[in-house]
mmCIF file of all heavy atoms in Angstrom:
data_model
loop_
_atom_site.group_PDB
_atom_site.id
_atom_site.type_symbol
_atom_site.label_atom_id
_atom_site.label_comp_id
_atom_site.label_asym_id
_atom_site.label_seq_id
_atom_site.Cartn_x
_atom_site.Cartn_y
_atom_site.Cartn_z
ATOM 1 N N MET P 1 -21.560 -4.680 -13.198
ATOM 2 C CA MET P 1 -21.588 -4.378 -11.842
ATOM 3 C C MET P 1 -20.286 -4.829 -11.147
ATOM 4 O O MET P 1 -19.762 -4.171 -10.303
ATOM 5 C CB MET P 1 -22.842 -4.768 -11.098
ATOM 6 C CG MET P 1 -22.914 -4.306 -9.712
ATOM 7 S SD MET P 1 -23.056 -2.558 -9.742
ATOM 8 C CE MET P 1 -23.455 -2.204 -7.973
ATOM 9 N N GLY P 2 -19.933 -6.075 -11.547
ATOM 10 C CA GLY P 2 -18.687 -6.655 -10.835
ATOM 11 C C GLY P 2 -17.458 -5.967 -11.260
ATOM 12 O O GLY P 2 -16.501 -5.767 -10.469
ATOM 13 N N ALA P 3 -17.434 -5.442 -12.537
ATOM 14 C CA ALA P 3 -16.147 -4.724 -13.055
ATOM 15 C C ALA P 3 -16.195 -3.457 -12.217
ATOM 16 O O ALA P 3 -14.944 -2.973 -11.902
ATOM 17 C CB ALA P 3 -16.331 -4.570 -14.537
ATOM 18 N N LEU P 4 -17.105 -2.830 -11.911
ATOM 19 C CA LEU P 4 -17.153 -1.543 -11.166
ATOM 20 C C LEU P 4 -16.619 -1.737 -9.851
ATOM 21 O O LEU P 4 -15.716 -0.940 -9.307
ATOM 22 C CB LEU P 4 -18.539 -0.967 -11.169
ATOM 23 C CG LEU P 4 -18.597 0.399 -10.404
ATOM 24 C CD1 LEU P 4 -17.880 1.443 -10.996
ATOM 25 C CD2 LEU P 4 -20.136 0.751 -10.150
ATOM 26 N N ILE P 5 -17.026 -2.820 -9.113
ATOM 27 C CA ILE P 5 -16.591 -3.071 -7.857
ATOM 28 C C ILE P 5 -15.050 -3.383 -7.828
ATOM 29 O O ILE P 5 -14.333 -2.955 -6.999
ATOM 30 C CB ILE P 5 -17.364 -4.235 -7.195
ATOM 31 C CG1 ILE P 5 -18.739 -3.815 -6.970
ATOM 32 C CG2 ILE P 5 -16.671 -4.815 -5.920
ATOM 33 C CD1 ILE P 5 -19.749 -4.940 -6.531
ATOM 34 N N THR P 6 -14.583 -4.171 -8.893
ATOM 35 C CA THR P 6 -13.228 -4.454 -8.958
ATOM 36 C C THR P 6 -12.336 -3.182 -9.184
ATOM 37 O O THR P 6 -11.435 -3.075 -8.571
ATOM 38 C CB THR P 6 -12.937 -5.372 -10.155
ATOM 39 O OG1 THR P 6 -13.766 -6.573 -9.998
ATOM 40 C CG2 THR P 6 -11.579 -5.762 -10.343
ATOM 41 N N ILE P 7 -12.822 -2.255 -9.972
ATOM 42 C CA ILE P 7 -12.076 -1.025 -10.276
ATOM 43 C C ILE P 7 -12.107 -0.215 -9.019
ATOM 44 O O ILE P 7 -11.010 0.338 -8.610
ATOM 45 C CB ILE P 7 -12.859 -0.186 -11.389
ATOM 46 C CG1 ILE P 7 -12.596 -0.943 -12.710
ATOM 47 C CG2 ILE P 7 -12.182 1.191 -11.505
ATOM 48 C CD1 ILE P 7 -13.412 -0.422 -13.939
ATOM 49 N N LEU P 8 -13.152 -0.077 -8.240
ATOM 50 C CA LEU P 8 -13.188 0.560 -6.891
ATOM 51 C C LEU P 8 -12.203 0.005 -5.966
ATOM 52 O O LEU P 8 -11.551 0.658 -5.277
ATOM 53 C CB LEU P 8 -14.580 0.648 -6.399
ATOM 54 C CG LEU P 8 -15.479 1.603 -7.162
ATOM 55 C CD1 LEU P 8 -16.956 1.403 -6.640
ATOM 56 C CD2 LEU P 8 -15.022 3.059 -7.101
ATOM 57 N N TYR P 9 -12.141 -1.363 -5.928
ATOM 58 C CA TYR P 9 -11.303 -2.070 -5.038
ATOM 59 C C TYR P 9 -9.809 -1.702 -5.307
ATOM 60 O O TYR P 9 -9.006 -1.367 -4.400
ATOM 61 C CB TYR P 9 -11.575 -3.575 -5.114
ATOM 62 C CG TYR P 9 -10.558 -4.452 -4.374
ATOM 63 C CD1 TYR P 9 -10.680 -4.495 -3.039
ATOM 64 C CD2 TYR P 9 -9.500 -5.050 -5.027
ATOM 65 C CE1 TYR P 9 -9.836 -5.261 -2.229
ATOM 66 C CE2 TYR P 9 -8.655 -5.900 -4.266
ATOM 67 C CZ TYR P 9 -8.792 -5.984 -2.856
ATOM 68 O OH TYR P 9 -7.908 -6.755 -2.185
ATOM 69 N N TYR P 10 -9.448 -1.768 -6.618
ATOM 70 C CA TYR P 10 -8.058 -1.461 -6.907
ATOM 71 C C TYR P 10 -7.702 -0.015 -6.727
ATOM 72 O O TYR P 10 -6.572 0.385 -6.446
ATOM 73 C CB TYR P 10 -7.821 -1.855 -8.366
ATOM 74 C CG TYR P 10 -7.558 -3.447 -8.491
ATOM 75 C CD1 TYR P 10 -8.462 -4.186 -9.144
ATOM 76 C CD2 TYR P 10 -6.436 -4.041 -7.939
ATOM 77 C CE1 TYR P 10 -8.265 -5.566 -9.139
ATOM 78 C CE2 TYR P 10 -6.274 -5.276 -7.919
ATOM 79 C CZ TYR P 10 -7.202 -6.152 -8.540
ATOM 80 O OH TYR P 10 -6.997 -7.484 -8.659
ATOM 81 N N LEU P 11 -8.654 0.882 -6.922
ATOM 82 C CA LEU P 11 -8.449 2.344 -6.617
ATOM 83 C C LEU P 11 -8.284 2.483 -5.025
ATOM 84 O O LEU P 11 -7.361 3.282 -4.709
ATOM 85 C CB LEU P 11 -9.642 3.038 -7.044
ATOM 86 C CG LEU P 11 -9.734 3.302 -8.672
ATOM 87 C CD1 LEU P 11 -11.005 4.132 -8.902
ATOM 88 C CD2 LEU P 11 -8.547 4.145 -9.220
ATOM 89 N N LEU P 12 -9.049 1.917 -4.339
ATOM 90 C CA LEU P 12 -8.824 1.842 -2.850
ATOM 91 C C LEU P 12 -7.453 1.297 -2.489
ATOM 92 O O LEU P 12 -6.787 1.933 -1.589
ATOM 93 C CB LEU P 12 -9.996 1.206 -2.161
ATOM 94 C CG LEU P 12 -9.971 1.193 -0.638
ATOM 95 C CD1 LEU P 12 -10.276 2.672 -0.154
ATOM 96 C CD2 LEU P 12 -11.077 0.249 -0.142
ATOM 97 N N VAL P 13 -7.058 0.203 -2.991
ATOM 98 C CA VAL P 13 -5.737 -0.326 -2.740
ATOM 99 C C VAL P 13 -4.667 0.554 -3.176
ATOM 100 O O VAL P 13 -3.733 0.809 -2.442
ATOM 101 C CB VAL P 13 -5.622 -1.758 -3.329
ATOM 102 C CG1 VAL P 13 -4.221 -2.310 -3.267
ATOM 103 C CG2 VAL P 13 -6.600 -2.700 -2.675
ATOM 104 N N ALA P 14 -4.874 1.217 -4.260
ATOM 105 C CA ALA P 14 -3.771 2.187 -4.803
ATOM 106 C C ALA P 14 -3.716 3.272 -3.888
ATOM 107 O O ALA P 14 -2.626 3.836 -3.571
ATOM 108 C CB ALA P 14 -4.057 2.556 -6.251
ATOM 109 N N PHE P 15 -4.886 3.913 -3.418
ATOM 110 C CA PHE P 15 -4.826 5.006 -2.491
ATOM 111 C C PHE P 15 -4.090 4.694 -1.219
ATOM 112 O O PHE P 15 -3.279 5.553 -0.779
ATOM 113 C CB PHE P 15 -6.221 5.447 -2.181
ATOM 114 C CG PHE P 15 -6.436 6.464 -1.120
ATOM 115 C CD1 PHE P 15 -6.090 7.809 -1.421
ATOM 116 C CD2 PHE P 15 -6.888 6.139 0.170
ATOM 117 C CE1 PHE P 15 -6.182 8.722 -0.459
ATOM 118 C CE2 PHE P 15 -6.935 7.031 1.122
ATOM 119 C CZ PHE P 15 -6.620 8.382 0.858
ATOM 120 N N PHE P 16 -4.354 3.612 -0.600
ATOM 121 C CA PHE P 16 -3.690 3.265 0.621
ATOM 122 C C PHE P 16 -2.172 3.014 0.347
ATOM 123 O O PHE P 16 -1.327 3.312 1.291
ATOM 124 C CB PHE P 16 -4.323 2.061 1.354
ATOM 125 C CG PHE P 16 -5.569 2.374 2.035
ATOM 126 C CD1 PHE P 16 -6.787 1.979 1.686
ATOM 127 C CD2 PHE P 16 -5.538 3.227 3.213
ATOM 128 C CE1 PHE P 16 -7.904 2.288 2.370
ATOM 129 C CE2 PHE P 16 -6.674 3.529 3.784
ATOM 130 C CZ PHE P 16 -7.829 3.123 3.376
ATOM 131 N N ALA P 17 -1.801 2.403 -0.724
ATOM 132 C CA ALA P 17 -0.467 2.184 -1.101
ATOM 133 C C ALA P 17 0.344 3.466 -1.121
ATOM 134 O O ALA P 17 1.477 3.632 -0.761
ATOM 135 C CB ALA P 17 -0.216 1.298 -2.308
ATOM 136 N N VAL P 18 -0.383 4.510 -1.815
ATOM 137 C CA VAL P 18 0.258 5.755 -2.038
ATOM 138 C C VAL P 18 0.497 6.419 -0.684
ATOM 139 O O VAL P 18 1.534 7.017 -0.409
ATOM 140 C CB VAL P 18 -0.450 6.621 -2.963
ATOM 141 C CG1 VAL P 18 -0.004 8.074 -2.991
ATOM 142 C CG2 VAL P 18 -0.317 6.093 -4.356
ATOM 143 N N CYS P 19 -0.566 6.281 0.223
ATOM 144 C CA CYS P 19 -0.490 6.852 1.566
ATOM 145 C C CYS P 19 0.633 6.344 2.245
ATOM 146 O O CYS P 19 1.419 6.923 3.010
ATOM 147 C CB CYS P 19 -1.831 6.730 2.228
ATOM 148 S SG CYS P 19 -3.046 7.679 1.626
ATOM 149 N N PHE P 20 0.768 4.900 2.312
ATOM 150 C CA PHE P 20 1.861 4.275 3.047
ATOM 151 C C PHE P 20 3.309 4.719 2.433
ATOM 152 O O PHE P 20 4.217 4.935 3.193
ATOM 153 C CB PHE P 20 1.766 2.816 2.928
ATOM 154 C CG PHE P 20 0.622 2.296 3.825
ATOM 155 C CD1 PHE P 20 -0.242 1.301 3.388
ATOM 156 C CD2 PHE P 20 0.523 2.702 5.075
ATOM 157 C CE1 PHE P 20 -1.312 0.893 4.231
ATOM 158 C CE2 PHE P 20 -0.400 2.239 6.036
ATOM 159 C CZ PHE P 20 -1.340 1.319 5.527
ATOM 160 N N LEU P 21 3.347 4.853 1.159
ATOM 161 C CA LEU P 21 4.561 5.307 0.477
ATOM 162 C C LEU P 21 5.037 6.655 0.914
ATOM 163 O O LEU P 21 6.181 6.958 1.188
ATOM 164 C CB LEU P 21 4.617 5.167 -1.030
ATOM 165 C CG LEU P 21 4.731 3.777 -1.585
ATOM 166 C CD1 LEU P 21 4.411 3.800 -3.075
ATOM 167 C CD2 LEU P 21 6.132 3.327 -1.339
ATOM 168 N N CYS P 22 3.978 7.535 0.986
ATOM 169 C CA CYS P 22 4.299 8.994 1.415
ATOM 170 C C CYS P 22 4.888 9.048 2.906
ATOM 171 O O CYS P 22 5.744 9.621 3.155
ATOM 172 C CB CYS P 22 3.086 9.738 1.312
ATOM 173 S SG CYS P 22 2.653 10.104 -0.473
ATOM 174 N N ASN P 23 4.141 8.230 3.738
ATOM 175 C CA ASN P 23 4.426 8.189 5.137
ATOM 176 C C ASN P 23 5.929 7.567 5.204
ATOM 177 O O ASN P 23 6.762 7.899 6.149
ATOM 178 C CB ASN P 23 3.555 7.386 5.933
ATOM 179 C CG ASN P 23 2.325 8.190 6.150
ATOM 180 O OD1 ASN P 23 2.246 9.332 6.120
ATOM 181 N ND2 ASN P 23 1.193 7.490 6.359
ATOM 182 N N PHE P 24 6.241 6.561 4.420
ATOM 183 C CA PHE P 24 7.570 5.911 4.500
ATOM 184 C C PHE P 24 8.628 6.898 4.075
ATOM 185 O O PHE P 24 9.699 6.891 4.673
ATOM 186 C CB PHE P 24 7.568 4.593 3.454
ATOM 187 C CG PHE P 24 8.898 4.139 3.255
ATOM 188 C CD1 PHE P 24 9.357 3.247 4.224
ATOM 189 C CD2 PHE P 24 9.560 4.319 2.158
ATOM 190 C CE1 PHE P 24 10.639 2.621 4.022
ATOM 191 C CE2 PHE P 24 10.854 3.775 1.887
ATOM 192 C CZ PHE P 24 11.438 2.966 2.956
ATOM 193 N N ARG P 25 8.326 7.680 3.078
ATOM 194 C CA ARG P 25 9.446 8.678 2.652
ATOM 195 C C ARG P 25 9.564 9.749 3.722
ATOM 196 O O ARG P 25 10.657 10.305 3.863
ATOM 197 C CB ARG P 25 8.980 9.307 1.374
ATOM 198 C CG ARG P 25 9.028 8.377 0.181
ATOM 199 C CD ARG P 25 8.739 9.027 -1.076
ATOM 200 N NE ARG P 25 9.646 10.046 -1.273
ATOM 201 C CZ ARG P 25 9.541 11.132 -2.199
ATOM 202 N NH1 ARG P 25 8.408 11.099 -2.938
ATOM 203 N NH2 ARG P 25 10.494 12.030 -2.277
ATOM 204 N N ARG P 26 8.626 10.088 4.491
ATOM 205 C CA ARG P 26 8.674 11.121 5.532
ATOM 206 C C ARG P 26 9.289 10.627 6.734
ATOM 207 O O ARG P 26 9.748 11.390 7.613
ATOM 208 C CB ARG P 26 7.353 11.679 5.950
ATOM 209 C CG ARG P 26 6.866 12.707 4.942
ATOM 210 C CD ARG P 26 5.716 13.379 5.496
ATOM 211 N NE ARG P 26 4.682 13.321 4.462
ATOM 212 C CZ ARG P 26 3.437 13.105 4.606
ATOM 213 N NH1 ARG P 26 2.920 12.924 5.773
ATOM 214 N NH2 ARG P 26 2.524 13.120 3.561
ATOM 215 N N SER P 27 9.363 9.270 7.015
ATOM 216 C CA SER P 27 9.825 8.734 8.288
ATOM 217 C C SER P 27 11.328 8.827 8.367
ATOM 218 O O SER P 27 12.066 8.787 7.463
ATOM 219 C CB SER P 27 9.430 7.187 8.252
ATOM 220 O OG SER P 27 9.892 6.627 9.381
ATOM 221 N N LYS P 28 11.770 9.077 9.593
ATOM 222 C CA LYS P 28 13.240 9.262 9.896
ATOM 223 C C LYS P 28 13.800 7.947 10.647
ATOM 224 O O LYS P 28 14.854 7.703 10.670
ATOM 225 C CB LYS P 28 13.433 10.503 10.730
ATOM 226 C CG LYS P 28 13.059 11.751 10.107
ATOM 227 C CD LYS P 28 13.917 12.076 8.913
ATOM 228 C CE LYS P 28 13.401 13.459 8.371
ATOM 229 N NZ LYS P 28 13.891 13.688 6.945
ATOM 230 N N ASN P 29 12.869 7.249 11.329
ATOM 231 C CA ASN P 29 13.197 6.132 12.202
ATOM 232 C C ASN P 29 13.159 4.932 11.382
ATOM 233 O O ASN P 29 12.299 4.558 10.632
ATOM 234 C CB ASN P 29 12.160 6.050 13.328
ATOM 235 C CG ASN P 29 12.577 5.056 14.386
ATOM 236 O OD1 ASN P 29 13.606 4.402 14.173
ATOM 237 N ND2 ASN P 29 11.706 4.840 15.349
ATOM 238 N N TRP P 30 14.275 4.114 11.337
ATOM 239 C CA TRP P 30 14.423 2.905 10.593
ATOM 240 C C TRP P 30 13.353 1.835 10.952
ATOM 241 O O TRP P 30 12.910 1.022 10.212
ATOM 242 C CB TRP P 30 15.838 2.322 10.601
ATOM 243 C CG TRP P 30 16.225 1.705 11.926
ATOM 244 C CD1 TRP P 30 16.750 2.366 13.006
ATOM 245 C CD2 TRP P 30 16.007 0.322 12.387
ATOM 246 N NE1 TRP P 30 16.965 1.482 14.004
ATOM 247 C CE2 TRP P 30 16.531 0.302 13.692
ATOM 248 C CE3 TRP P 30 15.558 -0.822 11.703
ATOM 249 C CZ2 TRP P 30 16.533 -0.950 14.359
ATOM 250 C CZ3 TRP P 30 15.433 -1.910 12.393
ATOM 251 C CH2 TRP P 30 15.936 -2.044 13.777
ATOM 252 N N GLN P 31 12.999 1.814 12.239
ATOM 253 C CA GLN P 31 12.020 0.885 12.728
ATOM 254 C C GLN P 31 10.699 1.092 12.098
ATOM 255 O O GLN P 31 9.922 0.259 11.784
ATOM 256 C CB GLN P 31 11.966 0.822 14.261
ATOM 257 C CG GLN P 31 13.242 0.261 14.834
ATOM 258 C CD GLN P 31 13.212 0.423 16.366
ATOM 259 O OE1 GLN P 31 12.522 1.234 16.882
ATOM 260 N NE2 GLN P 31 13.972 -0.421 17.100
ATOM 261 N N THR P 32 10.373 2.389 12.100
ATOM 262 C CA THR P 32 9.061 2.803 11.472
ATOM 263 C C THR P 32 9.030 2.435 9.957
ATOM 264 O O THR P 32 8.071 2.069 9.444
ATOM 265 C CB THR P 32 8.745 4.311 11.677
ATOM 266 O OG1 THR P 32 8.896 4.573 13.047
ATOM 267 C CG2 THR P 32 7.343 4.709 11.275
ATOM 268 N N GLU P 33 10.158 2.729 9.273
ATOM 269 C CA GLU P 33 10.398 2.363 7.935
ATOM 270 C C GLU P 33 10.075 0.922 7.584
ATOM 271 O O GLU P 33 9.304 0.542 6.738
ATOM 272 C CB GLU P 33 11.656 2.874 7.317
ATOM 273 C CG GLU P 33 11.774 4.395 7.316
ATOM 274 C CD GLU P 33 13.196 4.811 6.918
ATOM 275 O OE1 GLU P 33 14.166 3.887 6.781
ATOM 276 O OE2 GLU P 33 13.419 6.000 6.688
ATOM 277 N N VAL P 34 10.597 0.045 8.433
ATOM 278 C CA VAL P 34 10.441 -1.382 8.286
ATOM 279 C C VAL P 34 9.004 -1.765 8.438
ATOM 280 O O VAL P 34 8.421 -2.566 7.751
ATOM 281 C CB VAL P 34 11.362 -2.125 9.280
ATOM 282 C CG1 VAL P 34 11.004 -3.605 9.311
ATOM 283 C CG2 VAL P 34 12.826 -1.818 8.929
ATOM 284 N N LEU P 35 8.363 -1.105 9.411
ATOM 285 C CA LEU P 35 6.948 -1.413 9.657
ATOM 286 C C LEU P 35 6.075 -0.977 8.419
ATOM 287 O O LEU P 35 5.186 -1.760 8.068
ATOM 288 C CB LEU P 35 6.443 -0.651 10.906
ATOM 289 C CG LEU P 35 5.045 -0.753 11.295
ATOM 290 C CD1 LEU P 35 4.713 -2.174 11.639
ATOM 291 C CD2 LEU P 35 4.669 0.180 12.426
ATOM 292 N N TYR P 36 6.365 0.167 7.911
ATOM 293 C CA TYR P 36 5.658 0.643 6.635
ATOM 294 C C TYR P 36 5.845 -0.298 5.547
ATOM 295 O O TYR P 36 4.938 -0.637 4.780
ATOM 296 C CB TYR P 36 6.061 2.011 6.196
ATOM 297 C CG TYR P 36 5.491 3.105 7.077
ATOM 298 C CD1 TYR P 36 6.216 4.160 7.738
ATOM 299 C CD2 TYR P 36 4.090 3.120 7.185
ATOM 300 C CE1 TYR P 36 5.511 5.044 8.478
ATOM 301 C CE2 TYR P 36 3.351 4.158 7.859
ATOM 302 C CZ TYR P 36 4.116 5.147 8.488
ATOM 303 O OH TYR P 36 3.535 6.030 9.283
ATOM 304 N N LEU P 37 7.210 -0.741 5.342
ATOM 305 C CA LEU P 37 7.334 -1.817 4.309
ATOM 306 C C LEU P 37 6.566 -3.011 4.501
ATOM 307 O O LEU P 37 6.076 -3.611 3.511
ATOM 308 C CB LEU P 37 8.829 -2.067 4.188
ATOM 309 C CG LEU P 37 9.655 -0.993 3.603
ATOM 310 C CD1 LEU P 37 11.148 -1.314 3.593
ATOM 311 C CD2 LEU P 37 9.253 -0.594 2.159
ATOM 312 N N ILE P 38 6.500 -3.539 5.707
ATOM 313 C CA ILE P 38 5.731 -4.785 6.009
ATOM 314 C C ILE P 38 4.292 -4.508 5.741
ATOM 315 O O ILE P 38 3.702 -5.519 5.240
ATOM 316 C CB ILE P 38 6.103 -5.214 7.447
ATOM 317 C CG1 ILE P 38 7.497 -5.647 7.621
ATOM 318 C CG2 ILE P 38 5.129 -6.391 7.834
ATOM 319 C CD1 ILE P 38 7.914 -5.983 9.007
ATOM 320 N N VAL P 39 3.752 -3.506 6.163
ATOM 321 C CA VAL P 39 2.358 -3.176 5.829
ATOM 322 C C VAL P 39 2.027 -2.953 4.373
ATOM 323 O O VAL P 39 1.068 -3.333 3.883
ATOM 324 C CB VAL P 39 1.876 -2.032 6.732
ATOM 325 C CG1 VAL P 39 0.468 -1.643 6.387
ATOM 326 C CG2 VAL P 39 1.999 -2.241 8.223
ATOM 327 N N LEU P 40 3.014 -2.361 3.686
ATOM 328 C CA LEU P 40 2.778 -1.938 2.368
ATOM 329 C C LEU P 40 2.865 -3.221 1.347
ATOM 330 O O LEU P 40 2.162 -3.168 0.328
ATOM 331 C CB LEU P 40 3.838 -1.025 1.915
ATOM 332 C CG LEU P 40 3.830 -0.446 0.505
ATOM 333 C CD1 LEU P 40 2.643 0.324 0.177
ATOM 334 C CD2 LEU P 40 5.139 0.425 0.260
ATOM 335 N N LEU P 41 3.649 -4.184 1.746
ATOM 336 C CA LEU P 41 3.923 -5.298 0.841
ATOM 337 C C LEU P 41 2.545 -6.107 0.449
ATOM 338 O O LEU P 41 2.283 -6.207 -0.886
ATOM 339 C CB LEU P 41 4.672 -6.285 1.557
ATOM 340 C CG LEU P 41 5.165 -7.560 0.751
ATOM 341 C CD1 LEU P 41 5.998 -7.080 -0.476
ATOM 342 C CD2 LEU P 41 5.933 -8.500 1.595
ATOM 343 N N PRO P 42 1.611 -6.383 1.204
ATOM 344 C CA PRO P 42 0.283 -6.995 0.725
ATOM 345 C C PRO P 42 -0.487 -6.086 -0.199
ATOM 346 O O PRO P 42 -1.001 -6.470 -1.180
ATOM 347 C CB PRO P 42 -0.440 -7.258 1.982
ATOM 348 C CG PRO P 42 0.471 -7.209 3.100
ATOM 349 C CD PRO P 42 1.536 -6.336 2.671
ATOM 350 N N PHE P 43 -0.398 -4.690 0.095
ATOM 351 C CA PHE P 43 -1.073 -3.786 -0.779
ATOM 352 C C PHE P 43 -0.509 -3.806 -2.221
ATOM 353 O O PHE P 43 -1.165 -3.777 -3.195
ATOM 354 C CB PHE P 43 -1.116 -2.423 -0.301
ATOM 355 C CG PHE P 43 -2.066 -2.273 0.910
ATOM 356 C CD1 PHE P 43 -1.603 -2.408 2.199
ATOM 357 C CD2 PHE P 43 -3.367 -1.898 0.662
ATOM 358 C CE1 PHE P 43 -2.525 -2.204 3.243
ATOM 359 C CE2 PHE P 43 -4.289 -1.718 1.693
ATOM 360 C CZ PHE P 43 -3.884 -1.929 3.017
ATOM 361 N N LEU P 44 0.900 -3.946 -2.337
ATOM 362 C CA LEU P 44 1.555 -3.805 -3.534
ATOM 363 C C LEU P 44 1.208 -5.172 -4.318
ATOM 364 O O LEU P 44 1.032 -5.118 -5.559
ATOM 365 C CB LEU P 44 3.081 -3.619 -3.423
ATOM 366 C CG LEU P 44 3.407 -2.193 -3.018
ATOM 367 C CD1 LEU P 44 4.834 -2.130 -2.837
ATOM 368 C CD2 LEU P 44 2.910 -1.128 -4.019
ATOM 369 N N LEU P 45 1.233 -6.317 -3.569
ATOM 370 C CA LEU P 45 0.961 -7.556 -4.184
ATOM 371 C C LEU P 45 -0.442 -7.599 -4.809
ATOM 372 O O LEU P 45 -0.726 -8.010 -5.896
ATOM 373 C CB LEU P 45 1.129 -8.736 -3.238
ATOM 374 C CG LEU P 45 2.515 -9.002 -2.781
ATOM 375 C CD1 LEU P 45 2.572 -10.027 -1.683
ATOM 376 C CD2 LEU P 45 3.423 -9.399 -3.996
ATOM 377 N N ARG P 46 -1.480 -7.007 -4.096
ATOM 378 C CA ARG P 46 -2.817 -6.978 -4.571
ATOM 379 C C ARG P 46 -2.887 -6.059 -5.776
ATOM 380 O O ARG P 46 -3.569 -6.323 -6.820
ATOM 381 C CB ARG P 46 -3.758 -6.421 -3.505
ATOM 382 C CG ARG P 46 -4.023 -7.306 -2.380
ATOM 383 C CD ARG P 46 -4.947 -8.331 -2.735
ATOM 384 N NE ARG P 46 -5.205 -9.318 -1.571
ATOM 385 C CZ ARG P 46 -5.928 -10.324 -1.596
ATOM 386 N NH1 ARG P 46 -6.550 -10.731 -2.717
ATOM 387 N NH2 ARG P 46 -6.009 -10.975 -0.488
ATOM 388 N N LEU P 47 -2.179 -4.871 -5.787
ATOM 389 C CA LEU P 47 -2.232 -3.919 -6.757
ATOM 390 C C LEU P 47 -1.704 -4.509 -8.027
ATOM 391 O O LEU P 47 -2.178 -4.265 -9.201
ATOM 392 C CB LEU P 47 -1.502 -2.643 -6.376
ATOM 393 C CG LEU P 47 -1.729 -1.458 -7.258
ATOM 394 C CD1 LEU P 47 -3.063 -1.040 -7.261
ATOM 395 C CD2 LEU P 47 -0.860 -0.308 -6.718
ATOM 396 N N PHE P 48 -0.540 -5.290 -7.972
ATOM 397 C CA PHE P 48 0.070 -5.902 -9.175
ATOM 398 C C PHE P 48 -0.599 -7.337 -9.482
ATOM 399 O O PHE P 48 -0.105 -7.929 -10.357
ATOM 400 C CB PHE P 48 1.555 -5.954 -9.069
ATOM 401 C CG PHE P 48 2.144 -4.656 -8.882
ATOM 402 C CD1 PHE P 48 2.972 -4.304 -7.893
ATOM 403 C CD2 PHE P 48 1.904 -3.605 -9.796
ATOM 404 C CE1 PHE P 48 3.576 -3.077 -7.766
ATOM 405 C CE2 PHE P 48 2.420 -2.443 -9.775
ATOM 406 C CZ PHE P 48 3.418 -2.161 -8.703
ATOM 407 N N ARG P 49 -1.586 -7.734 -8.694
ATOM 408 C CA ARG P 49 -2.437 -8.883 -9.022
ATOM 409 C C ARG P 49 -1.348 -10.119 -8.878
ATOM 410 O O ARG P 49 -1.561 -11.173 -9.591
ATOM 411 C CB ARG P 49 -3.030 -8.929 -10.367
ATOM 412 C CG ARG P 49 -4.143 -7.849 -10.476
ATOM 413 C CD ARG P 49 -4.677 -7.906 -11.677
ATOM 414 N NE ARG P 49 -5.711 -6.761 -11.805
ATOM 415 C CZ ARG P 49 -6.555 -6.638 -12.848
ATOM 416 N NH1 ARG P 49 -6.572 -7.452 -13.895
ATOM 417 N NH2 ARG P 49 -7.397 -5.649 -12.902
ATOM 418 N N LEU P 50 -0.582 -10.149 -7.974
ATOM 419 C CA LEU P 50 0.296 -11.293 -7.800
ATOM 420 C C LEU P 50 -0.147 -12.162 -6.601
ATOM 421 O O LEU P 50 0.342 -13.339 -6.556
ATOM 422 C CB LEU P 50 1.778 -10.716 -7.333
ATOM 423 C CG LEU P 50 2.483 -9.973 -8.361
ATOM 424 C CD1 LEU P 50 3.835 -9.439 -7.864
ATOM 425 C CD2 LEU P 50 2.747 -10.856 -9.625
ATOM 426 N N LYS P 51 -1.035 -11.725 -5.762
ATOM 427 C CA LYS P 51 -1.542 -12.557 -4.745
ATOM 428 C C LYS P 51 -3.055 -12.207 -4.497
ATOM 429 O O LYS P 51 -3.528 -11.098 -4.580
ATOM 430 C CB LYS P 51 -0.840 -12.403 -3.504
ATOM 431 C CG LYS P 51 -1.180 -13.244 -2.348
ATOM 432 C CD LYS P 51 -0.219 -13.237 -1.202
ATOM 433 C CE LYS P 51 -0.764 -14.104 -0.178
ATOM 434 N NZ LYS P 51 0.264 -14.969 0.348
#
């Protein structure tokens, strides 16, 4: 059961990371791009199991 929860957690983190990346690519304003990068960083760290 614990493995299933872990897999679902990482799928959820990956989903939000992809959403942030798509929004980052569509953004034209540099301030919004910086904001997306700041928000995306913890998601990428979790996804790659670095933090």
